[in-house]
Amino acid sequence: MQLPAKSLRTFIGALDFKTSRAFYTELGFTERAIAPNLSLFTPEGNLSFYLQDYYVKEWVENTMLFLEVENADKHWQQVQSLRLDQKFSNVKLSTVNAQNWGRVYYLHDPSGILWNIGEFK
């Protein structure tokens, strides 16, 4: 039996829901409020995730997401130009690193969620 799927969406938490919502909006995601404590964020197409007003330190600080992009260097340049690390507390942005499988950079959101943003060879 086949069970066709249309999308896969993860839930991530937020230390400060309002700040995280502002961060992801600034990053270029489109927000759609689902409930007072839940929003759907979409960068484009069928890619999306739920941000919830819920925080458990051990869970949030161990959450990692991988966003595949066409060109990690160009993507990084655009993200760097937003100066998110100067606008939001706890945001960290690495440089682009070469790996044996491709190129990647890392972005920590205000709650400590680690985004791996990269391209495969």
Side-chain angles (χ1 to χ4, degrees):
M1 169 173 42
Q2 289 188 346
L3 302 172
K6 293 175 68 176
S7 71
L8 176 65
R9 300 175 183 179
T10 191
F11 286 78
I12 62 173
L15 176 62
D16 180 319
F17 189 58
K18 183 179 177 182
T19 299
S20 290
R21 289 174 59 214
F23 171 80
Y24 286 111
T25 299
E26 181 83 17
L27 191 53
F29 290 80
T30 301
E31 179 184 12
R32 184 171 62 134
I34 305 295
N37 61 349
L38 182 69
S39 289
L40 178 68
F41 282 87
T42 307
E44 60 184 51
N46 284 331
L47 305 175
S48 57
F49 65 91
Y50 292 103
L51 178 70
Q52 53 190 334
D53 189 6
Y54 181 75
Y55 181 78
V56 174
K57 180 178 174 56
E58 294 77 17
W59 168 55
V60 170
E61 290 184 356
N62 284 289
T63 298
M64 294 192 312
L65 302 169
F66 187 94
L67 177 65
E68 182 182 0
V69 297
E70 285 190 29
N71 186 310
D73 293 288
K74 286 184 181 179
H75 198 276
W76 177 84
Q77 288 172 351
Q78 290 177 344
V79 171
Q80 183 193 35
S81 73
L82 298 174
R83 302 188 186 281
L84 297 169
D85 56 342
Q86 296 173 14
K87 296 177 184 177
F88 297 94
S89 297
N90 303 321
V91 170
K92 299 174 196 163
L93 177 65
S94 76
T95 57
V96 179
N97 300 292
Q99 303 290 330
N100 61 353
W101 51 265
R103 298 180 62 72
V104 65
Y105 71 92
Y106 307 101
L107 176 65
H108 286 87
D109 86 349
S111 300
I113 291 173
L114 175 59
W115 284 81
N116 296 257
I117 303 171
E119 65 178 276
F120 295 106
K121 287 183 185 177

